[in-house]
């Protein structure tokens, strides 16, 4: 089978050699010999639409990373065109998603069915991961209902904290020390497809994690009972859990969390894709 894989030019290309090892031919541009168009990310929507319109008879799959209520109801000025993306998804033979949280979003917001295929996660080692006494959050700013909870909770409890500035993206050489030297990680928001890439990166460093237990939070599926959770709609519970993480009253299984991330490889994802395609 020849797959046209339309994805960002970044770590997501790691799936290509893994699929090739299983016997697939994987190319970046579609042609008439392709058996499948695999669109990965709304950021590539113009390219995916172009490929689909040029070759409408080639089956199309879209891997939908996320679908957030705020992107539909409280759109930012530069928001992606989700109406067009919905139409593109409707043209798909199947929709694949990284978690049950995104699957639920598609069901609730677009009345669409999807298949969960958990993503692989890139991990980069760092030589010094000794905690330096602060909680850390690394999320892009968005209109999520709980977006300000981390900073509010830390200020109200007097807890030392650091967070990335959404207006000034950090280069890797500044971001990685912040992550590596944190005491624990926090992802308090209501909707997040995987919980946040920084959680996976930090889990490799055996950082304890606190996340929302929202049904739209993918961290639950990726980490299970290896991390701590707070009641997503209870700010006081969030503050209590923050303090519990800080004092050590709440303990998490950092070794098992690390093992879960180590298992999120391109090879494992490729095997799931292979199984799915062979089931058609």
């Amino acid at each position: 089978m020849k797959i046209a894989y339309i994805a960002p030019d970044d770590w997501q290309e790691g799936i290509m050699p893994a699929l090739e090892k299983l016997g697939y031919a994987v190319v970046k541009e579609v042609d008439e010999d392709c058996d499948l168009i695999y669109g990965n990310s709304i950021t590539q929507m113009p390219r995916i639409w172009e490929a689909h319109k040029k070759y409408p008879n080639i089956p199309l799959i879209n891997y939908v990373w996320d679908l957030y209520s705020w992107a539909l109801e409280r759109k930012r000025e530069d928001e992606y065109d989700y109406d067009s993306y919905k139409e593109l998804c409707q043209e798909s033979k199947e929709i694949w998603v990284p978690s049950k949280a995104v699957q639920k979003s598609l069901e609730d917001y677009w009345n669409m069915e999807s298949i969960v295929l958990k993503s692989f996660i890139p991990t980069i080692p760092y030589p010094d991961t000794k905690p330096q006494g602060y909680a850390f959050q690394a999320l892009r700013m968005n209109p999520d209902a709980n977006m300000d909870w981390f900073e509010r909770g830390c200020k109200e409890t007097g807890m030392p904290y650091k967070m990335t500035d959404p207006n000034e993206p950090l280069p890797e050489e500044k971001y990685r020390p912040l992550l590596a030297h944190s005491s624990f990680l926090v992802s308090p928001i209501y909707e997040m497809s995987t919980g946040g890439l920084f959680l996976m990166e930090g889990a490799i460093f055996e950082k304890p994690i606190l996340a929302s237990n929202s049904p739209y939070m993918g961290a639950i599926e990726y980490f299970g009972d290896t991390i701590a959770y707070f009641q997503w709609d209870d700010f006081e519970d969030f503050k209590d859990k923050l303090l519990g993480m800080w004092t050590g009253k709440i303990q998490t299984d950092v070794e098992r969390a690390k093992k879960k991330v180590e298992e999120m490889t391109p090879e494992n994802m490729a095997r799931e894709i292979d199984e799915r395609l062979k089931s058609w």
Side-chain angles (χ1 to χ4, degrees), residues 13-29:
E13 291 187 343
I15 195 65
M16 297 176 70
L19 286 169
E20 289 168 348
K21 288 178 182 178
L22 296 178
Y24 294 90
V26 187
V27 296
K28 292 186 178 182
E29 299 295 335

Side-chain angles (χ1 to χ4, degrees), residues 93-111:
K93 178 179 176 65
E94 283 189 348
I95 301 170
W96 296 348
V97 295
S99 66
K100 291 180 181 178
V102 184
Q103 187 176 58
K104 179 172 174 56
S105 296
L106 282 167
E107 291 174 354
D108 292 351
Y109 306 147
W110 283 353
N111 194 31

Side-chain angles (χ1 to χ4, degrees), residues 17 70 74 83 106 110-111 114 148 157 186 228 242 274:
W70 53 261
R74 303 185 298 280
D83 291 334
L106 282 167
W110 283 353
N111 194 31
S114 59
D148 66 340
T157 57
V186 184
L242 267 180
D274 181 49

Side-chain angles (χ1 to χ4, degrees), residues 42-222:
I42 191 174
T43 65
Q44 306 304 303
M45 180 166 58
R47 293 176 59 209
I48 301 169
W49 262 123
E50 181 182 5
H52 178 57
K53 288 178 179 179
K54 189 173 182 178
Y55 299 102
N57 293 325
I58 297 177
L60 171 66
I61 286 173
N62 272 291
Y63 195 90
V64 179
W65 278 97
D66 49 53
L67 179 65
Y68 301 134
S69 60
W70 53 261
L72 305 177
E73 302 165 358
R74 303 185 298 280
K75 297 180 181 180
R76 301 170 292 188
E77 289 184 5
D78 58 348
E79 196 58 74
Y80 293 111
D81 185 351
Y82 276 91
D83 291 334
S84 180
Y85 197 44
K86 178 180 181 180
E87 184 180 351
L88 181 62
C89 290
Q90 289 171 332
E91 294 281 315
S92 304
K93 178 179 176 65
E94 283 189 348
I95 301 170
W96 296 348
V97 295
S99 66
K100 291 180 181 178
V102 184
Q103 187 176 58
K104 179 172 174 56
S105 296
L106 282 167
E107 291 174 354
D108 292 351
Y109 306 147
W110 283 353
N111 194 31
M112 285 186 186
E113 295 183 353
S114 59
I115 304 298
V116 176
L117 285 175
K118 292 171 70 173
S119 175
F120 71 95
I121 303 295
T123 57
I124 304 173
Y126 194 79
D128 176 17
T129 60
K130 184 178 180 180
Q132 293 185 2
Y134 57 86
F136 184 57
Q137 173 188 280
L139 293 169
R140 289 176 291 179
M141 189 62 68
N142 63 55
D144 186 273
N146 293 4
M147 194 70 233
D148 66 340
W149 278 30
F150 175 69
E151 189 167 26
R152 281 177 55 204
C154 289
K155 286 181 176 179
E156 291 186 20
T157 57
M159 183 178 303
Y161 72 96
K162 293 184 180 182
M163 56 190 293
T164 52
D165 184 344
N167 299 313
E168 297 182 13
L170 284 177
E172 280 293 303
E173 63 268 22
K174 292 185 177 180
Y175 164 70
R176 298 198 66 75
L178 278 178
L179 176 70
H181 294 148
S182 63
S183 296
F184 65 95
L185 310 176
V186 184
S187 185
I189 59 179
Y190 176 58
E191 297 174 285
M192 179 57 68
S193 59
T194 61
L197 180 58
F198 79 106
L199 297 187
M200 282 68 174
E201 295 173 321
I204 288 294
F205 301 154
E206 299 190 4
K207 300 296 179 181
I209 295 169
L210 174 64
S212 157
N213 70 354
S214 161
Y216 299 101
M217 166 56 83
I220 298 171
E221 186 168 1
Y222 278 75

